[in-house]
Amino acid sequence: MIAGGALSSVVVAAALLASLTACDGSKPLLKPEPTASPGPFPAADRPIARIVSPRWSNEEARDRLNEAGRVMDLADIRPGMTVADLGAGEGYYTTRLAARVGADGRVLAEDIVPAVRDALAERVARERLENVSVRLGLPADPRLPENSFDRIFMVHMYHEIAQPYEFLWRMRPSLRRDGLVVVVDADRATRDHGTPPMLLRCEFAAVGYAPVDFREMRSAGGYLATFRAAGARPDPASIRACRMGARARSAG
């Protein structure tokens, strides 16, 4: 919930954010801040896309293509599940996941931009989505509780993670035994707001995730890929960064 004194500023922020275009690499939403050293984790050997908008496309156009419905079907989202929506933005998936999991399920919606988080919290309150919680994440750490989620959604946001190995490593314990990570992204270079599938598989594999499924999905802007945690979580110092060239191709 949003404090009463901050409501007017949130409404203004929401209006400004809604006027931005889709995630097309123009007009950055935020000025890029210096990237902190990833410590024991390797740095990504690829460009990192800037955060430019809290939306990928408008909701009416996405619903005409049944984007969310198709993605949720393929991800086997059922009533009673607990789902995290990372990089939730304006809440396109958050609101539809809330309806799908029902009163006995839970959705945790998270964003790293405070104004976006606040605008989403206002929407959740306005639409009375009692099974949704909204919180602020960190660029390299989603801060998710352990053994809590049946599914973790990462929709058109993976290419914006500045430290993917640390992020995936810290996220891993939050999956339940049969939990899945659901990634929706475009098949193009990360600098162009997408992630080549071979590179995605390589980076997930480096942190101990195994691929489960891959589907081309033009209605969702590219593809859907799912992963599960496999084996022991590696020591951060043992993780090796995937290269954009041969290393990424070999992971396919």
Side-chain angles (χ1 to χ4, degrees):
M1 297 295 290
I2 301 173
L7 182 56
S8 60
S9 62
V10 167
V11 172
V12 172
L16 290 173
L17 290 169
S19 68
L20 293 172
T21 57
C23 180
D24 62 1
S26 63
K27 297 182 180 178
L29 179 64
L30 298 173
K31 291 183 178 179
E33 297 181 359
T35 302
S37 169
F41 297 91
D45 184 27
R46 57 173 171 82
I48 305 298
R50 292 181 177 183
I51 300 174
V52 296
S53 173
R55 64 167 66 173
W56 174 69
S57 181
N58 72 73
E59 297 193 7
E60 293 78 10
R62 299 171 86 170
D63 279 345
R64 283 196 296 271
L65 296 172
N66 190 33
E67 177 192 331
R70 179 65 173 152
V71 168
M72 290 189 296
D73 288 346
L74 291 173
D76 193 23
I77 302 300
R78 304 185 303 274
M81 279 186 164
T82 299
V83 182
D85 183 15
L86 305 184
E90 294 180 336
Y92 175 73
Y93 273 89
T94 297
T95 56
R96 287 152 182 80
L97 285 166
R100 181 70 68 96
V101 302
D104 294 330
R106 296 291 302 173
V107 177
L108 175 62
E110 183 174 290
D111 208 280
I112 66 170
V113 181
V116 174
R117 183 274 315 269
D118 291 347
L120 178 55
E122 169 64 15
R123 178 179 184 176
V124 167
R126 183 174 64 251
E127 298 185 15
R128 299 183 179 181
L129 303 178
E130 297 182 357
N131 60 345
V132 175
S133 300
V134 180
R135 66 179 294 177
L136 190 69
L138 297 175
D141 185 359
R143 302 191 301 167
L144 300 178
E146 292 189 12
N147 191 32
S148 297
F149 296 97
D150 301 295
R151 301 288 186 270
I152 297 176
F153 271 54
M154 305 172 72
V155 180
H156 291 291
M157 57 79 73
Y158 183 78
H159 50 266
E160 296 171 348
I161 300 174
Q163 297 176 17
Y165 302 103
E166 181 174 0
F167 190 96
L168 294 176
W169 189 88
R170 296 190 185 282
M171 182 181 77
R172 217 184 97 138
S174 66
L175 285 169
R176 289 176 173 165
R177 182 175 180 181
D178 296 321
L180 297 176
V181 182
V182 180
V183 179
V184 175
D185 214 335
D187 184 1
R188 55 178 178 248
T190 54
R191 66 168 60 88
D192 297 324
H193 288 259
T195 309
M198 299 293 187
L199 178 63
L200 182 78
R201 295 187 191 108
C202 185
E203 291 185 345
F204 268 76
V207 192
Y209 293 83
V212 175
D213 194 15
F214 180 88
R215 308 285 183 99
E216 290 188 0
M217 284 196 67
R218 293 184 180 180
S219 62
Y223 62 81
L224 177 147
T226 55
F227 299 87
R228 61 177 176 82
R233 187 168 62 157
D235 182 87
S238 71
I239 298 171
R240 296 292 177 264
C242 299
R243 296 187 180 276
M244 289 292 289
R247 200 52 197 280
R249 289 194 297 271
S250 68

